[in-house]
Amino acid sequence: MNTPLPPAEELALIDRELAQLDARRLYLLGRRDWLLRLLLQSGGAPAPVRWGPAATVGPAGPAKEASAPSAQNVLLTLGAVLLAVAALAFTLVSWGSMGIAGRSAVLAAVTAAALGTPVLLLRRGLRSTAESVAAVGLLLTVLDAYALYALGMPEANGTGYAAGAAAVLAAAWAGYGSGLRKLRIPLPAAVLAAQFALPLAALAVRPGPQALGWALLATAALDAALALKVRAAAVPAAVTGAGALLIGVAQSWSAGSAAQALAPAALLLAGAALGVAAAWREPRASAAALTGALAAVAGLGGVARPGLDPAWTVLVHLLLALPLLAAVRASALPVAVRRGSARAGAAVASLAALSAGAAVGTALVARLRVLGEVWAATTPERDPYGSGAAAALTLLVAAGAAWWLARALSRPEPMVVAVASAWAGLFAAPVLLGFPVAAAFAAQLAVTGAAGALALRSPARGARTAAAVCALTGAANVSLGALDGRAATFAVWGLLGAGCAAAAAYGAASRPIRSGAAASAVGYATGVLVAAGAVSDLAVVWWALPVLAVPALAAALGPRLGGVRLPVEIAAAGAGAVAVGLSAGRAGTLALVLALAGVVCAGAAVRPERRVLGWVAGALFAAATWVRLAEAGVSTPEAYALPVTVPALVVGVLRRRRDPGASSWTAYGPGLAATLVPSLLAAWGDAGWLRPLLLGAAALVVTLLGARWRLQAPLLLGGAVLAAVAVHELAPYVVQVAGALPRWVPPALAGVLLLAVGATYERRLRDARRLRVAIGRLR
């Protein structure tokens, strides 16, 4: 490096600049230490900025787990705790070994020192240390009060003395904290001590929950007044107020008469007034208004409770809560009062509706007993003006309140509640009141129809969905109840089926509702036909024939069904399955029903969009044939299957020559399945070895041919049959080996297998994808 100065002069210049930098660095370090001490004494210091030659942007070293102030606070807290423990040990253990003068002198000196030392510490700026010493001093005042009682007034009423001591300590701590405003402990401690004064005094003068409740309420009122200036006082106000209200509620619920419930009601009403007053002054105290409104409802309802049935008591509480909902539109009230009152009314209405809904649900679920004896024609129990009437009225009143709220607030949620509550009340009322059977069914059908009409025409989505659910639930319940009588079954199911058909044909309704109605109509038609078969003298297996009329009608109508075609056809397929199940008791009838079902599917497959049903028709025809052969005692199905398989395969070959793009399932699937499937079923029931051997060999040949010519149908059908035959042949030996092994071996092997599969999970997925792609490439 070249410089204009001689080396000796440049070296001297560098030495002088380094000396100046060292002097400046020592000055800055001293100034920095002084500033840190000043900040620590004032109550908190910011995190020091890293400096020095190694300073870099961002964290360059391990972060400290605790700052200096936090470590200091921990040490001070531990010191205060240890001093408190020492003071307790001295008072409780060493107190009796000293005389009266010694005791007084020690306590006075230690207490005065503990309370006076924070003054000196605050002057030096040691605020945290002063807080710890002041806490010890406050604890010593409590010990002084206990020592005074134990020494000078041992025969005095302990509860009364504790109340007076709490009041004196609260006043003393408040004065001490007011004098030393930099301390944060004395004033909250004074508020905490004041919470015990009135309750303890009340228990000393008149023991009992009622006096304690009023004392707690008075304490809550004082705390609420203090909370207007000191926000932290709101917490003890809420705690003491809640204690008073809980006492009032407990006393009200346990009252044996209206006269006994008056005193708890007065306590609850006073608490309600306090909560509303607090919300009136504080805009953020809506919870106080809510609590107060609930207390008012509980107090007034508690007076009426002893003379009423529980169900009517719920209705009374609901009626008392209805005026609270009107607060939604009472613009003259403060926002906190309005919100709290409205929420309280909504809460009471919700609880009342849930209570009544439980009674309604119990009554409706009781209809399940009809399944034990269908068409028994039992007489329902009557309960005029009993708890059932109260439950129905409660639901209707709750529905009206929810509807009013929906109109007032322009929100969909209350409307959903209104629809559900109104339906539940109207639907359950005939059952709860014990109406005659015909009248009950007529009323419930009318309510169900009204719900269905609302689901079809309501512009509100929430109300429409709720009405649809209610209509579906009502239809299911009344259908279940109709099984108690023959005439009721035909009348109710017929009317419901007609109503569902009309709803499905209503074009203005939403598609899900129309689809559900269409499927329900098919279900009711099926049920009526089954009931008709039960009324007749025909055997159960012959009931399937009229049931087949349902899928036949659905197939005949076809495209005329419009947008509900698919749900109708799915429901009709279910009806066909019911018909097959009914005819399963006799082989001849089952074969006839399977054949007729095949005819229905074949007729539907004529339409291009339902060509897939041709496969179903073929399967049904084949099943009917084999059922008939099994009934005839045929033990060699190959004699009947091979004559069908050979020409079917020839037709398949010709089809593939004419159309090389045709699927192997279309060309060879039916012919191969015609022999392989019946032979496999026969092989599984055959104890010999010849049939499984021949079938396995044939399946192996088919599988190899499918692999050679890359055809899906022979490959998969032959492989599946070959695997099934192998399992059938090896099953006895597997069972024998499994019986010889210890019981812990199979779980262990399963665990090893799972571990192996889990360890190679990704590779197995990759292999499965490759296999799927390979099969997909086949024709």
Side-chain angles (χ1 to χ4, degrees):
M1 180 169 51
N2 297 324
T3 60
L5 296 176
E9 294 182 4
E10 184 178 2
L11 180 60
L13 177 63
I14 291 174
D15 288 338
R16 287 194 299 271
E17 289 180 356
L18 288 175
Q20 292 176 359
L21 288 175
D22 289 338
R24 182 63 178 172
R25 183 173 182 274
L26 292 175
Y27 169 77
L28 292 176
L29 287 174
R31 183 69 179 175
R32 180 179 181 275
D33 292 338
W34 181 81
L35 290 174
L36 285 176
R37 288 195 301 269
L38 181 63
L39 290 173
L40 289 173
Q41 292 175 1
S42 62
V49 181
R50 300 183 72 252
W51 57 271
T56 58
V57 178
K64 294 182 179 181
E65 296 181 357
S67 62
S70 62
Q72 179 191 22
N73 292 333
V74 170
L75 293 176
L76 293 175
T77 302
L78 290 175
V81 170
L82 292 175
L83 287 176
V85 172
L88 287 172
F90 170 76
T91 304
L92 298 176
V93 178
S94 302
W95 186 260
S97 62
M98 301 179 64
I100 298 177
R103 301 171 187 174
S104 303
V106 170
L107 279 177
V110 174
T111 304
L115 295 177
T117 302
V119 178
L120 301 177
L121 294 176
L122 289 175
R123 290 178 182 177
R124 288 181 170 269
L126 302 176
R127 181 177 176 181
S128 298
T129 307
E131 292 280 3
S132 301
V133 177
V136 175
L138 297 181
L139 177 61
L140 288 175
T141 57
V142 178
L143 297 178
D144 289 339
Y146 168 74
L148 180 61
Y149 170 73
L151 180 64
M153 296 176 288
E155 298 181 356
N157 187 341
T159 305
Y161 178 81
V168 172
L169 289 175
W173 292 352
Y176 182 72
S178 299
L180 301 176
R181 292 189 175 274
K182 292 185 178 181
L183 297 178
R184 292 172 293 183
I185 292 179
L187 290 179
V191 174
L192 180 61
Q195 307 304 309
F196 299 95
L198 288 178
L200 291 175
L203 291 177
V205 175
R206 187 177 180 181
Q210 197 68 28
L212 178 60
W214 282 105
L216 288 173
L217 187 61
T219 304
L222 295 176
D223 291 336
L226 181 61
L228 297 177
K229 296 183 178 180
V230 182
R231 187 178 301 175
V235 175
V239 173
T240 53
L245 295 180
L246 288 176
I247 291 175
V249 171
Q251 292 294 306
S252 178
W253 286 352
S254 62
S257 62
Q260 295 178 1
L262 289 176
L267 176 61
L268 291 172
L269 292 177
L274 176 60
V276 174
W280 202 287
R281 294 291 301 273
E282 176 55 50
R284 291 172 293 184
S286 60
L290 185 148
T291 306
L294 292 176
V297 172
L300 295 176
V303 176
R305 182 197 59 80
L308 295 176
D309 184 86
W312 289 101
T313 303
V314 173
L315 179 59
V316 169
H317 282 79
L318 175 59
L319 295 176
L320 291 172
L322 290 181
L324 298 176
L325 297 175
V328 172
R329 290 189 173 181
S331 57
L333 296 176
V335 177
V337 177
R338 188 164 64 247
R339 290 180 178 176
S341 301
R343 289 172 181 173
V348 174
S350 300
L351 292 175
L354 289 176
S355 177
V360 169
T362 302
L364 297 182
V365 170
R367 280 183 165 175
L368 291 173
R369 291 179 296 184
V370 73
L371 297 177
E373 189 177 1
V374 179
W375 291 351
T378 58
T379 303
E381 299 179 359
R382 298 181 61 86
D383 183 25
Y385 311 108
S387 58
L393 285 176
T394 300
L395 287 171
L396 294 178
V397 172
W403 177 83
W404 185 87
L405 273 181
R407 298 290 300 273
L409 300 177
S410 299
R411 294 185 61 85
E413 294 85 356
M415 185 58 69
V416 173
V417 176
V419 171
S421 300
W423 170 83
L426 294 174
F427 186 84
V431 177
L432 294 175
L433 297 178
F435 280 14
V437 176
F441 283 149
Q444 289 183 331
L445 287 173
V447 174
T448 302
L454 181 62
L456 295 175
R457 304 179 62 89
S458 176
R461 181 178 179 180
R464 184 170 62 247
T465 303
V469 173
C470 291
L472 181 62
T473 305
N477 190 266
V478 73
S479 300
L480 185 64
L483 289 175
D484 196 38
R486 297 189 178 187
T489 299
F490 287 101
V492 171
W493 288 16
L495 290 174
L496 287 175
C500 290
Y506 186 70
S510 62
R511 186 169 183 176
I513 293 179
R514 292 183 61 207
S515 299
S520 300
V522 174
Y524 279 115
T526 304
V528 169
L529 291 175
V530 172
V535 172
S536 65
D537 295 332
L538 296 176
V540 175
V541 294
W542 294 108
W543 298 359
L545 296 179
V547 173
L548 281 177
V550 175
L553 181 61
L557 293 177
R560 298 179 184 178
L561 297 174
V564 298
R565 180 183 181 182
L566 183 60
V568 167
E569 290 179 345
I570 293 175
V578 171
V580 172
L582 290 173
S583 62
R586 183 182 299 172
T589 309
L590 177 59
L592 176 61
V593 171
L594 289 173
L596 292 177
V599 172
V600 172
C601 291
V606 174
R607 298 187 176 94
E609 68 276 8
R610 292 294 183 265
R611 290 290 172 81
V612 68
L613 292 178
W615 290 90
V616 180
L620 290 172
F621 287 139
T625 301
W626 287 113
V627 169
R628 179 65 68 181
L629 292 176
E631 182 188 18
V634 175
S635 60
T636 308
E638 293 82 2
Y640 299 89
L642 288 176
V644 176
T645 296
V646 173
L649 292 178
V650 173
V651 172
V653 171
L654 297 176
R655 169 75 183 276
R656 291 272 297 177
R657 288 181 178 178
R658 187 176 56 186
D659 183 12
S663 172
S664 62
W665 289 101
T666 304
Y668 306 124
L672 293 174
T675 295
L676 291 177
V677 174
S679 297
L680 179 62
L681 295 177
W684 270 74
D686 193 349
W689 59 272
L690 182 59
R691 176 180 278 122
L693 177 61
L694 296 177
L695 179 60
L700 177 61
V701 172
V702 172
T703 303
L704 294 176
L705 291 176
R708 171 65 179 82
W709 298 102
R710 302 184 63 185
L711 299 174
Q712 270 191 12
L715 178 63
L716 295 182
L717 281 175
V721 172
L722 182 61
V725 171
V727 170
H728 174 265
E729 293 302 307
L730 292 177
Y733 302 101
V734 172
V735 173
Q736 184 178 0
V737 172
L741 290 176
R743 294 188 177 182
W744 58 269
V745 173
L749 293 177
V752 172
L753 177 63
L754 291 177
L755 289 176
V757 172
T760 59
Y761 181 71
E762 294 183 359
R763 186 158 59 90
R764 300 302 179 192
L765 288 179
R766 187 167 59 252
D767 295 342
R769 295 191 191 99
R770 292 177 180 174
L771 179 61
R772 183 183 62 185
V773 173
I775 294 177
R777 291 174 182 171
L778 302 179
R779 290 172 289 175

